[in-house]
Amino acid sequence: MKLWVDDLRRPPKGYVWCKSVNDAIMFIEQNCNEIELIDIDHDAGFYAYDGGDYIQLLNWLEVVGLSFPIRIHTMNVVGRQNMQLIIRKNGWREVR
C-alpha cells in the first residue's frame, strides 16, 4: 500500500490520499504493516490546521520509531532539505 500525503495534488493510481498530518497518522496507525511507501509533500496549505505542515509526519514517525521508504515530492526547496535531514538522521530510505 502506498500513501500519498498532499493537500492539492491528486495521487497517482494505486495510492491512498491523506490531506492532513492527523489523517496520515491515523491511516498509518491502522495500516502500519501494509505500507510500502510514503510519498510526501512539505506544505500542507489549508490542511496545516490539522497537524501542521507535512514535515510533522516525519517528526511523528521519528518519535514513535516507525520507518518506511519515503519519497519527497515537494517543490519547497528548504522544506525538502529539512525533510531529508530527518530521513538521513534516522537512516531511513529516501526513494527518488
Side-chain angles (χ1 to χ4, degrees):
M1 188 176 305
K2 296 177 183 176
L3 179 59
W4 182 262
V5 185
D6 197 304
D7 60 321
L8 296 174
R9 287 172 282 215
R10 292 180 124 350
K13 187 175 181 174
Y15 281 71
V16 174
W17 190 6
C18 288
K19 295 182 181 179
S20 76
V21 169
N22 289 336
D23 284 345
I25 288 171
M26 189 170 21
F27 180 81
I28 292 167
E29 288 176 335
Q30 294 171 356
N31 300 281
C32 184
N33 295 326
E34 299 172 48
I35 297 171
E36 59 188 86
L37 174 70
I38 297 175
D39 204 323
I40 190 168
D41 188 15
H42 181 276
D43 303 319
F46 174 74
Y47 292 92
Y49 77 90
D50 194 20
D53 282 325
Y54 299 126
I55 193 170
Q56 297 305 321
L57 180 60
L58 298 184
N59 290 332
W60 176 80
L61 289 170
E62 182 177 36
V63 168
V64 299
L66 292 174
S67 172
F68 304 98
I70 308 241
R71 178 180 294 132
I72 303 170
H73 64 258
T74 187
M75 300 301 288
N76 180 329
V77 175
V78 174
R80 175 183 295 277
Q81 291 170 344
N82 290 334
M83 294 171 96
Q84 287 173 323
L85 287 172
I86 294 170
I87 291 168
R88 286 188 201 117
K89 177 175 74 168
N90 287 285
W92 299 339
R93 185 166 71 94
E94 182 180 1
V95 177
R96 295 184 191 245

